[in-house]
Amino acid sequence: SLVDLDIHDIRDSAVTVVESNSILIDRCNLSDNTHHGNWKQGRGLCLNASHNILLKNSQVNRNSGLGIHLNSSSLRIETSRVNDTFPDADGDLGLGIAVWEASTAEIIQTEVSNNLAAGITIYDGSSVNIDECNIHHNRPRPGSQTGYGAGILIDESTTNVSGAVISDNVGYGIYSNDSLLNMNNSVIRNNSTSPEGNYGRSLYIRSVTGTEVSSANVESSSILNNAGVGVAVFSDSSLTLAISVIAGT
């Protein structure tokens, strides 16, 4: 276990876990870590082929490239903050939480804010539950070619969102591509267009590859006061919307 530790200003990841299981990280500060030499990121927490990891009551702030990074791993995050991730040595990334390579995660009562490109990314057949989280003020990288950010960015994965507030992000509230999204009792509000005036979609569902069809099930939720488009569904994707409100777009 790692308890009551302050790990900061490391020119690498603050904590790296490889092929290990059942580790508790509690009341830790994993912040202000940066890239160095050929190692292009200074992540707060990096998991590779590791499972049953619990991070709680912790701060993961102002790290380089990726705040928390999962590759083929499983992690539960409780009552923590993942904020202010900045780009890596190449000017890329800046993601708060990256759940990649068929990883699984539970993110509970956690704040994810002021990261670049996206607060949470879920890729490569991963599965994530997001419960009672506040995901806000995530925005594009400076000079980004795409010009958008997102609260949650999903690609070829499954995501369940419950009791969350996704607000004040630039570009998209939730962007789901070739994926399954289930959302209930949540709010997507006040997400804005990029500095160029593009995007501004609170909930964007699309299918690109043709091998996977995106679908979203939204229930008992509110989509309010977003710039641009409230809900956009493209390319043979599907949306089921029940007992919800869309207003002010």
Coordinates of all heavy atoms in Angstrom, one line a residue, residues 154-221:
I154 N -14.8 8.6 -26.2 CA -14.9 7.1 -26.2 C -14.7 6.6 -27.6 O -15.3 7.1 -28.5 CB -16.3 6.7 -25.7 CG1 -16.7 7.4 -24.4 CG2 -16.4 5.2 -25.5 CD1 -18.2 7.4 -24.1
D155 N -13.9 5.6 -27.7 CA -13.7 5.0 -29.1 C -13.6 3.5 -28.9 O -12.8 2.9 -28.2 CB -12.4 5.5 -29.7 CG -12.2 5.1 -31.1 OD1 -12.9 5.6 -32.0 OD2 -11.3 4.2 -31.4
E156 N -14.5 2.8 -29.6 CA -14.6 1.3 -29.6 C -14.6 0.7 -28.2 O -13.8 -0.2 -27.9 CB -13.5 0.7 -30.5 CG -13.6 1.1 -31.9 CD -12.5 0.5 -32.8 OE1 -11.6 -0.1 -32.3 OE2 -12.7 0.6 -34.1
S157 N -15.4 1.3 -27.3 CA -15.4 0.8 -25.9 C -16.8 1.0 -25.4 O -17.7 1.4 -26.1 CB -14.4 1.7 -25.1 OG -13.1 1.5 -25.6
T158 N -17.0 0.6 -24.1 CA -18.3 0.7 -23.4 C -18.2 1.6 -22.2 O -17.2 1.4 -21.4 CB -18.7 -0.7 -23.0 OG1 -18.9 -1.6 -24.1 CG2 -20.0 -0.7 -22.2
T159 N -19.1 2.5 -22.1 CA -19.1 3.4 -20.9 C -20.4 3.6 -20.3 O -21.4 3.8 -21.0 CB -18.6 4.8 -21.4 OG1 -17.3 4.7 -22.1 CG2 -18.4 5.8 -20.3
N160 N -20.5 3.5 -19.0 CA -21.7 3.7 -18.2 C -21.5 5.0 -17.4 O -20.6 5.0 -16.6 CB -22.0 2.5 -17.4 CG -22.2 1.3 -18.2 OD1 -23.0 1.2 -19.1 ND2 -21.4 0.2 -17.9
V161 N -22.4 5.9 -17.5 CA -22.3 7.2 -16.8 C -23.6 7.4 -16.0 O -24.7 7.3 -16.5 CB -22.2 8.4 -17.8 CG1 -22.1 9.7 -17.0 CG2 -21.0 8.2 -18.7
S162 N -23.4 7.6 -14.6 CA -24.6 7.7 -13.8 C -24.3 8.8 -12.8 O -23.2 8.9 -12.1 CB -24.8 6.4 -13.0 OG -25.9 6.5 -12.1
G163 N -25.3 9.7 -12.6 CA -25.1 10.8 -11.6 C -24.0 11.7 -11.8 O -23.5 12.3 -10.8
A164 N -23.6 11.9 -13.0 CA -22.4 12.8 -13.3 C -22.9 14.2 -13.8 O -24.0 14.3 -14.4 CB -21.5 12.1 -14.4
V165 N -22.0 15.1 -13.6 CA -22.2 16.5 -14.2 C -21.0 16.7 -15.2 O -19.9 16.7 -14.7 CB -22.3 17.6 -13.2 CG1 -22.4 18.9 -13.8 CG2 -23.4 17.3 -12.2
I166 N -21.3 16.9 -16.4 CA -20.3 17.1 -17.5 C -20.5 18.6 -18.0 O -21.5 18.8 -18.8 CB -20.4 16.1 -18.6 CG1 -20.3 14.7 -17.9 CG2 -19.4 16.3 -19.7 CD1 -20.9 13.6 -18.7
S167 N -19.7 19.5 -17.7 CA -20.0 20.9 -17.9 C -18.8 21.7 -18.3 O -17.6 21.4 -18.0 CB -20.7 21.5 -16.7 OG -19.7 21.6 -15.6
D168 N -19.0 22.8 -19.1 CA -18.1 23.8 -19.3 C -16.8 23.3 -20.0 O -15.7 23.8 -19.9 CB -17.7 24.5 -18.0 CG -18.9 25.2 -17.4 OD1 -19.3 26.2 -17.9 OD2 -19.4 24.7 -16.4
N169 N -17.0 22.2 -20.8 CA -15.9 21.7 -21.6 C -15.9 22.4 -23.0 O -17.0 22.9 -23.4 CB -16.0 20.2 -21.8 CG -16.0 19.5 -20.5 OD1 -14.9 19.4 -19.9 ND2 -17.1 19.0 -20.0
V170 N -14.8 22.5 -23.7 CA -14.7 23.1 -25.0 C -14.8 22.1 -26.1 O -13.9 21.2 -26.1 CB -13.5 24.0 -25.1 CG1 -13.4 24.6 -26.5 CG2 -13.5 25.1 -24.1
G171 N -15.7 22.1 -26.9 CA -15.8 21.2 -28.1 C -17.0 20.2 -27.9 O -18.0 20.2 -28.6
Y172 N -16.8 19.2 -27.0 CA -17.9 18.2 -26.8 C -18.0 17.9 -25.3 O -17.0 17.9 -24.5 CB -17.4 16.9 -27.4 CG -17.3 16.9 -28.9 CD1 -16.0 17.2 -29.5 CD2 -18.4 16.8 -29.8 CE1 -15.9 17.2 -30.9 CE2 -18.2 16.8 -31.1 CZ -17.0 17.0 -31.7 OH -16.9 17.1 -33.1
G173 N -19.3 17.7 -24.9 CA -19.5 17.1 -23.5 C -19.0 15.6 -23.5 O -18.1 15.2 -22.8
I174 N -19.7 14.8 -24.4 CA -19.3 13.4 -24.6 C -19.2 13.2 -26.1 O -20.2 13.5 -26.8 CB -20.3 12.5 -24.0 CG1 -20.5 12.7 -22.5 CG2 -20.0 11.0 -24.3 CD1 -21.5 11.8 -21.8
Y175 N -18.1 12.6 -26.5 CA -17.9 12.2 -27.9 C -17.8 10.7 -27.9 O -16.9 10.1 -27.3 CB -16.7 12.8 -28.5 CG -16.3 12.5 -29.9 CD1 -16.4 13.5 -30.9 CD2 -15.9 11.3 -30.3 CE1 -16.0 13.2 -32.2 CE2 -15.6 11.0 -31.6 CZ -15.6 12.0 -32.5 OH -15.3 11.7 -33.8
S176 N -18.7 9.9 -28.6 CA -18.7 8.5 -28.6 C -18.6 8.0 -30.0 O -19.5 8.2 -30.8 CB -19.9 8.0 -27.9 OG -19.9 6.5 -27.8
N177 N -17.5 7.2 -30.3 CA -17.3 6.7 -31.7 C -17.3 5.2 -31.7 O -16.5 4.6 -30.9 CB -16.1 7.3 -32.3 CG -15.8 6.8 -33.7 OD1 -16.5 7.0 -34.6 ND2 -14.7 6.0 -33.8
D178 N -18.1 4.5 -32.5 CA -18.0 3.1 -32.5 C -18.1 2.4 -31.2 O -17.4 1.5 -30.8 CB -16.7 2.6 -33.2 CG -16.7 3.0 -34.7 OD1 -17.8 3.2 -35.3 OD2 -15.6 3.1 -35.2
S179 N -19.0 2.9 -30.3 CA -19.0 2.5 -28.9 C -20.5 2.4 -28.4 O -21.4 2.9 -29.0 CB -18.3 3.6 -28.1 OG -16.9 3.6 -28.4
L180 N -20.6 1.9 -27.2 CA -21.8 1.8 -26.5 C -21.8 2.7 -25.3 O -20.8 2.6 -24.4 CB -22.1 0.4 -26.0 CG -23.3 0.2 -25.0 CD1 -24.6 0.6 -25.7 CD2 -23.4 -1.2 -24.5
L181 N -22.7 3.6 -25.2 CA -22.8 4.6 -24.1 C -24.2 4.4 -23.4 O -25.2 4.5 -24.0 CB -22.6 6.0 -24.6 CG -23.0 7.1 -23.6 CD1 -22.0 7.1 -22.4 CD2 -23.0 8.5 -24.3
N182 N -24.2 4.2 -22.1 CA -25.4 4.2 -21.3 C -25.2 5.4 -20.3 O -24.3 5.4 -19.5 CB -25.5 2.9 -20.5 CG -25.7 1.7 -21.5 OD1 -26.6 1.7 -22.3 ND2 -24.8 0.7 -21.3
M183 N -26.2 6.3 -20.2 CA -26.2 7.4 -19.3 C -27.5 7.6 -18.6 O -28.6 7.6 -19.3 CB -25.8 8.7 -20.1 CG -25.6 9.9 -19.2 SD -25.0 11.4 -20.1 CE -26.5 11.9 -20.9
N184 N -27.5 7.8 -17.3 CA -28.7 8.0 -16.6 C -28.4 9.0 -15.4 O -27.3 9.1 -14.9 CB -29.3 6.7 -16.1 CG -28.5 6.1 -15.0 OD1 -28.6 6.4 -13.8 ND2 -27.7 5.1 -15.4
N185 N -29.5 9.7 -15.1 CA -29.4 10.7 -14.0 C -28.2 11.6 -14.0 O -27.6 11.9 -13.0 CB -29.4 9.9 -12.6 CG -30.7 9.2 -12.4 OD1 -31.8 9.7 -12.6 ND2 -30.6 7.9 -12.1
S186 N -27.9 12.1 -15.2 CA -26.7 12.9 -15.4 C -27.1 14.2 -16.1 O -28.2 14.4 -16.7 CB -25.7 12.1 -16.2 OG -25.2 11.0 -15.5
V187 N -26.2 15.2 -16.0 CA -26.4 16.5 -16.7 C -25.2 16.8 -17.6 O -24.0 16.6 -17.2 CB -26.5 17.6 -15.6 CG1 -26.6 18.9 -16.2 CG2 -27.6 17.3 -14.6
I188 N -25.5 17.2 -18.8 CA -24.5 17.7 -19.7 C -24.9 19.2 -20.0 O -25.9 19.5 -20.6 CB -24.4 17.0 -21.0 CG1 -24.2 15.5 -20.8 CG2 -23.3 17.5 -21.9 CD1 -24.2 14.6 -22.1
R189 N -24.0 20.1 -19.5 CA -24.5 21.5 -19.6 C -23.3 22.5 -19.9 O -22.1 22.2 -19.6 CB -25.2 22.0 -18.4 CG -24.3 22.1 -17.1 CD -25.0 22.4 -15.9 NE -24.2 22.5 -14.7 CZ -24.5 22.2 -13.5 NH1 -25.7 21.8 -13.2 NH2 -23.6 22.3 -12.5
N190 N -23.6 23.6 -20.5 CA -22.7 24.7 -20.7 C -21.4 24.3 -21.4 O -20.3 24.9 -21.1 CB -22.4 25.4 -19.3 CG -23.6 25.9 -18.6 OD1 -24.6 26.3 -19.3 ND2 -23.6 25.9 -17.3
N191 N -21.4 23.4 -22.3 CA -20.2 23.0 -23.1 C -20.2 24.0 -24.3 O -21.3 24.3 -24.9 CB -20.3 21.6 -23.5 CG -20.2 20.7 -22.3 OD1 -19.2 20.5 -21.7 ND2 -21.4 20.1 -21.9
S192 N -19.1 24.4 -24.7 CA -19.0 25.5 -25.7 C -18.3 25.1 -26.9 O -17.6 24.0 -27.0 CB -18.3 26.7 -25.0 OG -16.9 26.4 -24.7
T193 N -18.3 26.0 -27.9 CA -17.6 25.8 -29.2 C -16.1 26.0 -29.0 O -15.7 26.6 -28.0 CB -18.1 26.7 -30.3 OG1 -17.9 28.0 -29.8 CG2 -19.6 26.5 -30.6
S194 N -15.3 25.6 -30.0 CA -13.9 25.8 -29.9 C -13.6 27.3 -30.2 O -14.5 28.0 -30.6 CB -13.2 25.0 -31.0 OG -13.5 25.5 -32.3
P195 N -12.4 27.8 -30.0 CA -12.1 29.2 -30.2 C -12.4 29.6 -31.7 O -12.7 30.8 -31.9 CB -10.6 29.3 -29.9 CG -10.3 28.2 -28.9 CD -11.2 27.1 -29.3
E196 N -12.4 28.6 -32.6 CA -12.7 28.9 -34.0 C -14.2 28.9 -34.3 O -14.6 29.1 -35.4 CB -12.0 27.9 -34.9 CG -10.5 27.9 -34.9 CD -9.9 27.2 -33.7 OE1 -10.7 26.4 -33.0 OE2 -8.8 27.4 -33.4
G197 N -15.0 28.6 -33.2 CA -16.4 28.6 -33.4 C -17.0 27.2 -33.9 O -18.1 27.1 -34.3
N198 N -16.1 26.2 -33.8 CA -16.6 24.9 -34.3 C -17.0 24.0 -33.1 O -16.8 24.3 -32.0 CB -15.4 24.2 -35.1 CG -15.0 25.0 -36.3 OD1 -15.8 25.5 -37.0 ND2 -13.7 25.0 -36.5
Y199 N -17.6 22.9 -33.5 CA -18.1 21.8 -32.6 C -19.1 22.3 -31.7 O -20.1 22.8 -32.1 CB -16.8 21.2 -31.9 CG -15.8 20.8 -32.9 CD1 -14.6 21.6 -33.0 CD2 -15.9 19.8 -33.7 CE1 -13.6 21.2 -33.9 CE2 -15.0 19.4 -34.7 CZ -13.8 20.2 -34.7 OH -12.8 19.8 -35.6
G200 N -18.9 22.3 -30.4 CA -20.0 22.7 -29.4 C -21.1 21.7 -29.3 O -22.3 22.1 -29.2
R201 N -20.8 20.4 -29.4 CA -21.9 19.4 -29.3 C -21.8 18.8 -28.0 O -20.8 18.3 -27.5 CB -21.6 18.3 -30.4 CG -21.8 18.9 -31.8 CD -21.1 18.1 -32.9 NE -21.3 18.7 -34.2 CZ -20.5 18.6 -35.2 NH1 -19.4 17.8 -35.1 NH2 -20.8 19.1 -36.4
S202 N -23.0 18.8 -27.3 CA -23.0 18.3 -25.9 C -22.9 16.8 -25.9 O -22.1 16.2 -25.1 CB -24.3 18.7 -25.2 OG -25.4 18.3 -26.0
L203 N -23.6 16.1 -26.9 CA -23.5 14.6 -27.0 C -23.4 14.3 -28.4 O -24.3 14.6 -29.2 CB -24.8 14.0 -26.3 CG -24.9 12.5 -26.4 CD1 -23.7 11.8 -25.8 CD2 -26.2 12.0 -25.8
Y204 N -22.3 13.6 -28.8 CA -22.0 13.3 -30.2 C -21.8 11.8 -30.4 O -20.9 11.3 -29.8 CB -20.8 14.1 -30.6 CG -20.4 14.0 -32.1 CD1 -21.2 14.7 -33.1 CD2 -19.3 13.3 -32.5 CE1 -20.8 14.6 -34.4 CE2 -18.9 13.3 -33.9 CZ -19.7 13.9 -34.8 OH -19.4 13.9 -36.1
I205 N -22.7 11.2 -31.2 CA -22.6 9.8 -31.4 C -22.4 9.5 -32.9 O -23.1 10.0 -33.7 CB -24.0 9.1 -31.0 CG1 -24.4 9.6 -29.6 CG2 -23.9 7.6 -31.0 CD1 -23.5 9.3 -28.5
R206 N -21.3 8.7 -33.2 CA -21.0 8.4 -34.6 C -20.4 7.0 -34.7 O -19.8 6.5 -33.8 CB -20.1 9.5 -35.2 CG -18.7 9.5 -34.6 CD -17.9 10.5 -35.2 NE -17.7 10.4 -36.6 CZ -16.8 11.0 -37.4 NH1 -15.9 11.9 -36.8 NH2 -16.7 10.9 -38.6
S207 N -20.5 6.5 -35.9 CA -19.9 5.2 -36.3 C -19.0 5.5 -37.5 O -19.5 5.9 -38.5 CB -20.9 4.1 -36.6 OG -21.8 4.0 -35.5
V208 N -17.7 5.1 -37.4 CA -16.8 5.5 -38.5 C -16.3 4.2 -39.2 O -16.2 4.2 -40.4 CB -15.6 6.3 -37.9 CG1 -14.5 6.5 -39.0 CG2 -16.1 7.6 -37.4
T209 N -15.9 3.2 -38.5 CA -15.2 2.1 -39.1 C -16.1 1.2 -39.9 O -15.6 0.5 -40.8 CB -14.5 1.2 -38.0 OG1 -15.5 0.6 -37.2 CG2 -13.6 2.1 -37.2
G210 N -17.4 1.2 -39.6 CA -18.3 0.2 -40.2 C -18.3 -1.1 -39.6 O -19.2 -1.9 -39.9
T211 N -17.4 -1.5 -38.7 CA -17.4 -2.7 -38.1 C -18.1 -2.7 -36.7 O -18.6 -3.7 -36.2 CB -15.9 -3.2 -37.8 OG1 -15.2 -2.3 -37.0 CG2 -15.2 -3.4 -39.2
E212 N -18.2 -1.5 -36.1 CA -18.9 -1.3 -34.9 C -19.9 -0.2 -35.1 O -19.7 0.8 -35.8 CB -17.9 -0.9 -33.8 CG -16.8 -1.9 -33.5 CD -17.3 -3.2 -32.8 OE1 -18.5 -3.1 -32.2 OE2 -16.6 -4.2 -32.8
V213 N -21.1 -0.4 -34.5 CA -22.2 0.6 -34.6 C -22.3 1.3 -33.3 O -22.6 0.6 -32.3 CB -23.5 0.0 -35.1 CG1 -24.6 1.1 -35.1 CG2 -23.3 -0.6 -36.5
S214 N -22.2 2.6 -33.3 CA -22.4 3.3 -32.0 C -23.8 3.3 -31.6 O -24.7 3.5 -32.4 CB -21.9 4.8 -32.1 OG -20.5 4.9 -31.9
S215 N -24.1 3.2 -30.3 CA -25.4 3.4 -29.7 C -25.3 4.0 -28.4 O -24.3 3.9 -27.7 CB -26.1 2.0 -29.6 OG -25.5 1.2 -28.7
A216 N -26.4 4.8 -28.1 CA -26.4 5.5 -26.8 C -27.8 5.4 -26.2 O -28.8 5.5 -26.9 CB -26.0 7.0 -26.9
N217 N -27.8 5.1 -24.9 CA -29.1 5.0 -24.2 C -29.0 6.0 -23.1 O -28.2 6.0 -22.2 CB -29.3 3.6 -23.6 CG -29.2 2.5 -24.6 OD1 -30.0 2.5 -25.5 ND2 -28.2 1.6 -24.5
V218 N -29.9 7.0 -23.2 CA -29.9 8.2 -22.2 C -31.2 8.2 -21.5 O -32.3 8.3 -22.2 CB -29.6 9.5 -23.0 CG1 -29.7 10.7 -22.0 CG2 -28.3 9.4 -23.7
E219 N -31.2 8.2 -20.2 CA -32.4 8.2 -19.4 C -32.3 9.1 -18.2 O -31.3 9.2 -17.6 CB -32.7 6.7 -18.9 CG -34.0 6.6 -18.2 CD -34.4 5.2 -17.8 OE1 -33.7 4.3 -18.3 OE2 -35.3 5.0 -17.0
S220 N -33.4 9.8 -17.9 CA -33.5 10.7 -16.8 C -32.4 11.6 -16.7 O -31.8 11.8 -15.6 CB -33.6 9.8 -15.5 OG -34.7 8.9 -15.6
S221 N -32.0 12.3 -17.8 CA -30.9 13.2 -17.8 C -31.3 14.5 -18.4 O -32.3 14.6 -19.1 CB -29.7 12.5 -18.6 OG -29.2 11.3 -18.0

